[in-house]
Amino acid sequence: MLSCIQGLSSARPLVVRRRFVRASLLGLVLAAGAVQADSGLMSEVDARAADKAPMDERQRASFEQWLADFRRHAAAEGISEQALARAFDGVRYRPSIIEHDRHQPEFVQPIWEYLDTAVSSTRVTTGRDKLAAHRDTAREMERRYGVPAEVIVAIWGIESNYGSHFGDYSALDAFATLAFDGRRRDFARRELLAALRIVDAGDIPARDMVGSWAGAMGHTQFIPSSFRAYAVDGDGDGRRDIWHSIPDVMASTANYLKQAGWQAGEPWGAEVRLPDGFDYAQTGRKSTAKWRRQGMRAVSGALPEFSSAEVIVPAGAQGPAFLTGPNFRSILRYNNATSYALAVAKLSDAIAGRDGIVQGWPREQAPLTRDDVTRLQRSLNRLGYDVGGADGIMGPNTRKGLRAFQRDQGLTADGFATQALLARLENA
């Protein structure tokens, strides 16, 4: 989704309807860059039942008063009365949205499981079919914006499974509900106002502005503020329609990546082999020449020549390593999750007929639950490796503290948390 809403579990690589939760791009809020399993999310049947249940009269009155107040605010911000009538006359509070918003997945999904689905053979085949069906449009957007056609199609595939799952929630319902009763009310208020501006501009009728429960809209899941900033009229009809017009979808997606710094003609990166004794604490960017001097080699072919590149090891020293350049960072701007960006990169490679990941993943490793990560953080803090609050999220401070502990224990300091490492910490 084109938005990085930190906290709203929205559609996208991890779309709720696709049974994934993910950290969003253009402003969508998901948890700290980790791809999480959705065990415990409401089923579609339960969601519909919750939305049809009678609303408490006190809550109904409170929501209606809030809506009236926001309507006055929107009018003061320049939204026309005609647009407000079209948008707000049918808006309703959706309890299922609040249930989704407050849900905290217990398990962090291993990246290899996420990639198994995100870059499945079916998704690759469908992606090639979609590219063939829309080849002229995709190539035209590649010419205009410098973003390869297969990358545009890959984002389409991961965001909404090529349009088959972009959600059926009204974005106006979603942001009104979240602004009234969600965890990030100020954010939702801003997005609701942006959605009203889209309706006022005539890009899409209010009734057709649909997407995920978190408000990410259309084939490639833009939130309203991202739509206003990056959506493009690709078919020349005077409207930006990412729900029904594939040229608009492709142009908008490519424009977003271009504005995020996409470098035409450069690859996203490459799978690499790291030298023995590699220092995994290196988190800064270096030129390819400097990485090469450390003994890095490409798994196949030559290393891409970057002036600024970084190494990522999503599963630590036990898994594959990648040298990533500016275009990988552009994908991260779309959705700030390493798993998401790697999925887009590898799906685009597969659609184009390039090699998949060669080095194996440590599939024998059992994932840590949020409670496990909380215990790990508490143990690190107890031992003097200050990682801040114990929130159950494997963020950069936790990985830094974990690397320091591993180094002091004579272990490979890759910052990759395992059940064995948790046990070692708790017994230290």
Side-chain angles (χ1 to χ4, degrees):
M1 137 192 102
L2 269 171
S3 73
C4 298
I5 314 181
Q6 315 264 354
L8 295 181
S9 140
S10 154
R12 254 78 355 297
L14 311 181
V15 201
V16 169
R17 296 195 57 195
R18 288 205 320 251
R19 298 191 60 75
F20 289 104
V21 182
R22 77 157 192 221
S24 162
L25 82 160
L26 306 170
L28 262 179
V29 177
L30 264 192
V35 180
Q36 299 173 323
D38 69 347
S39 60
L41 284 178
M42 297 182 78
S43 69
E44 291 300 312
V45 172
D46 289 341
R48 295 184 189 285
D51 289 337
K52 289 179 180 177
M55 192 174 181
D56 176 83
E57 284 305 316
R58 181 181 300 177
Q59 189 179 39
R60 181 190 301 279
S62 180
F63 178 67
E64 290 177 353
Q65 181 60 56
W66 180 90
L67 206 58
D69 291 343
F70 189 87
R71 188 167 181 158
R72 285 190 290 272
H73 167 71
E77 289 291 322
I79 306 298
S80 71
E81 192 54 44
Q82 183 181 24
L84 287 170
R86 292 197 305 266
F88 273 176
D89 284 355
V91 165
R92 44 183 195 123
Y93 177 85
R94 303 285 298 272
S96 65
I97 291 172
I98 299 304
E99 288 297 317
H100 285 311
D101 184 42
R102 292 175 181 167
H103 173 76
Q104 292 294 325
E106 181 182 0
F107 289 93
V108 175
Q109 184 184 33
I111 186 171
W112 49 89
E113 290 184 5
Y114 170 54
L115 291 175
D116 287 347
T117 299
V119 194
S120 67
S121 59
T122 299
R123 187 160 288 169
V124 172
T125 299
T126 304
R128 290 173 179 167
D129 291 344
K130 293 293 185 182
L131 180 54
H134 301 281
R135 185 171 300 280
D136 290 347
T137 297
R139 294 304 181 198
E140 171 60 19
M141 300 316 163
E142 178 175 345
R143 185 192 65 78
R144 287 188 201 176
Y145 300 102
V147 180
E150 63 268 22
V151 173
I152 299 171
V153 172
I155 286 182
W156 184 19
I158 289 178
E159 288 297 327
S160 68
N161 200 17
Y162 308 107
S164 65
H165 292 307
F166 62 66
D168 57 5
Y169 279 92
S170 160
L172 297 164
D173 284 357
F175 285 118
T177 299
L178 291 165
F180 171 69
D181 198 21
R183 292 178 297 120
R184 300 191 62 208
R185 299 184 188 187
D186 289 345
F187 167 81
R189 282 174 59 89
R190 292 193 296 272
E191 293 304 320
L192 180 57
L193 187 62
L196 292 172
R197 295 193 191 283
I198 295 169
V199 173
D200 210 3
D203 283 304
I204 191 76
R207 66 179 179 276
D208 291 341
M209 187 181 282
V210 297
S212 75
W213 68 263
M217 309 180 303
H219 283 262
T220 47
Q221 299 285 279
F222 281 51
I223 57 171
S225 60
S226 296
F227 178 99
R228 297 192 67 233
Y230 304 109
V232 172
D233 173 16
D235 57 17
D237 69 351
R239 299 187 302 118
R240 300 176 294 174
D241 184 354
I242 61 171
W243 295 266
H244 308 106
S245 168
I246 298 306
D248 289 7
V249 169
M250 290 187 168
S252 300
T253 304
N255 182 54
Y256 181 85
L257 290 174
K258 179 182 178 181
Q259 299 304 320
W262 189 274
Q263 303 295 302
E266 284 194 5
W268 63 268
E271 186 179 359
V272 297
R273 297 193 190 280
L274 302 177
D276 292 340
F278 182 79
D279 179 7
Y280 291 91
Q282 299 178 85
T283 56
R285 297 170 189 164
K286 298 181 176 69
S287 67
T288 296
K290 290 183 177 178
W291 287 116
R292 187 184 290 112
R293 284 197 290 272
Q294 292 192 25
M296 179 185 296
R297 296 291 181 268
V299 165
S300 62
L303 288 174
E305 295 297 334
F306 296 127
S307 60
S308 174
E310 56 195 325
V311 173
I312 62 168
V313 283
Q318 302 176 65
F322 307 89
L323 182 69
T324 63
N327 289 344
F328 192 83
R329 297 194 288 275
S330 296
I331 300 171
L332 286 170
R333 286 277 302 278
Y334 205 96
N335 183 323
N336 192 26
T338 296
S339 51
Y340 174 86
L342 191 58
V344 169
K346 295 313 298 178
L347 180 57
S348 67
D349 282 349
I351 289 171
R354 295 188 287 269
D355 291 340
I357 296 171
V358 173
Q359 299 166 105
W361 297 100
R363 293 178 179 271
E364 73 285 355
Q365 295 290 349
L368 271 63
T369 65
R370 289 180 66 90
D371 181 61
D372 289 336
V373 176
T374 299
R375 289 161 48 204
L376 180 142
Q377 291 167 324
R378 288 173 178 163
S379 294
L380 286 169
N381 284 332
R382 172 177 56 82
L383 295 170
Y385 303 96
D386 184 11
V387 300
D391 59 3
I393 296 173
M394 280 295 300
N397 287 339
T398 302
R399 295 190 188 282
K400 181 180 178 180
L402 189 56
R403 284 196 300 268
F405 172 77
Q406 289 172 311
R407 185 172 55 251
D408 291 345
Q409 295 288 308
L411 305 172
T412 300
D414 59 4
F416 182 60
T418 64
Q419 292 289 351
L421 197 52
L422 172 60
R424 187 164 185 156
L425 266 166
E426 292 190 317
N427 291 325

